[in-house]
Amino acid sequence: MPPSRRRLLAALAGAALTGCQASGAARPGPGAAGPAGSVLATPAPAPAASAPAASGTARSGGAEAGAPAAVPGSADPPPGAASRAGAVTRADLVSRYGQLEPTSWGFDGPGVLSRLPAGEAAIALTFDACGGPQGNGYDEALIGFLRERRVPATLFLNSRWIDANPAVARALAAEPLFEIANHGTRHCPLSVSGRSAYDIPGTRDVGEVVDEITGNRAGLTELLGRPPRFFRSGTAYLDDVAARIVSDLGERFAGFTVNGDGGATFTAGQVHSAVTAAGPGAIVLAHMNHPAAGTAAGIATAVPRLLDEGCRFVRLSEAVP
């Protein structure tokens, strides 16, 4: 995809990721700032890697091999540069990062996966299930279409959505077609200083960042029998310090290349246009918790067109070492 096109699609995220939100998603923190004046980072390519994938062959989840944890002020950690889950404590991370001031705020940061590794020609469909008063729905038509066409996808489940849909969550977790990933505990933007995105208050400090990641991970580990590999915050916003915390906790922050459904606000035609514009290596972000939205209908026309053009679809773990 040309850089100008990618920037345009990323800019659509202004209304984009608010479809993930639900009122009461997080407690407001002191000094919380709205999105006005925030830096909107354009997703950048992830570090190059070589990992050929085969659609429909890999199971979900699986912890990454441990590697030296990132340290404050270090260069961007390589993919998987994290301690194994449980090898680092909340107190460790508060001590390590508690005095650092973040220098970025947006969709990008150290170790953030904004597209598939260089050379990967497939497309990764990812769907958020955000939970909360307006976010506990289940788009059965969307999931049914993916099942019918045997199209793999990575599903980012929020703790509240799982609590509201336990039987569905168990069924999805048991299905090899889908990979289950972590969409947080309270669906907060991931901030160490209480910043907000789209009027959704973010986590207020390092401790709350850790809680947002590990609270839901505990439930997902029980559900899956292993920790999830990938994490995406509410709204997909994070700062650079929070990005390092995600890595230190053994997960990889998954951003996006293409905003597929504008936070579940797009019509079916708009979804179709956005998704069919995704080029090789794109990570498409859409939602599976708003059945009345245009997501299912748009995906149902876009995916067959891309398949006819020879496109492959993969779960994130199939393409990312």
Side-chain angles (χ1 to χ4, degrees):
M1 181 188 300
S4 59
R5 176 64 174 165
R6 189 164 63 249
R7 284 193 296 269
L8 175 61
L9 290 170
L12 287 174
L17 303 167
T18 55
C20 247
Q21 79 176 27
S23 60
R27 291 175 293 161
S38 299
V39 176
L40 185 66
T42 301
S50 175
S55 175
T57 58
R59 285 185 174 269
S60 62
E64 295 178 332
V71 296
S74 66
D76 289 5
S83 303
R84 286 188 181 275
V88 61
T89 68
R90 187 181 194 273
D92 291 336
L93 293 169
V94 170
S95 175
R96 184 179 301 171
Y97 294 109
Q99 302 305 313
L100 289 187
E101 293 291 334
T103 60
S104 69
W105 178 242
F107 298 136
D108 203 6
V112 170
L113 183 71
S114 298
R115 61 181 304 110
L116 300 182
E120 176 54 72
I123 292 174
L125 296 178
T126 71
F127 298 96
D128 290 356
C130 309
Q134 284 82 48
N136 283 331
Y138 171 50
D139 197 337
E140 190 171 359
L142 170 66
I143 298 300
F145 168 79
L146 297 175
R147 285 171 170 152
E148 178 183 352
R149 296 302 299 261
R150 301 303 299 166
V151 175
T154 302
L155 311 180
F156 285 81
L157 307 185
N158 178 262
S159 178
R160 302 169 307 168
W161 190 89
I162 295 171
D163 289 343
N165 299 276
V168 174
R170 285 193 299 272
L172 294 172
E175 197 160 350
L177 188 65
F178 303 122
E179 173 176 25
I180 304 301
N182 186 352
H183 197 36
T185 306
R186 294 185 293 135
H187 194 262
C188 300
L190 213 61
S191 169
V192 297
S193 58
R195 297 196 68 166
S196 301
Y198 315 124
D199 296 324
I200 302 176
T203 50
R204 297 179 293 185
D205 53 34
V206 170
E208 287 197 0
V209 168
V210 175
D211 295 342
E212 180 66 12
I213 300 163
T214 60
N216 193 38
R217 185 176 67 190
L220 287 175
T221 300
E222 182 176 354
L223 180 69
L224 302 172
R226 57 193 174 276
R229 282 189 61 190
F230 298 97
F231 175 86
R232 178 183 289 148
S233 63
T235 76
Y237 260 74
L238 80 167
D239 62 42
D240 58 310
V241 178
R244 290 187 169 92
I245 294 170
V246 175
S247 180
D248 281 11
L249 285 169
E251 298 188 34
R252 183 79 185 271
F253 193 100
F256 64 99
T257 318
V258 174
N259 185 345
D261 67 356
T265 67
F266 284 1
T267 65
Q270 290 172 315
V271 173
H272 176 94
S273 296
V275 175
T276 54
I283 298 172
V284 177
L285 183 156
H287 293 79
M288 55 169 283
N289 63 316
H290 289 283
T295 305
I299 290 290
T301 60
V303 165
R305 175 173 164 178
L306 290 169
L307 288 171
D308 289 344
E309 293 173 355
C311 196
R312 291 185 305 116
F313 295 92
V314 294
R315 293 170 289 275
L316 288 178
S317 62
E318 295 177 76
V320 180

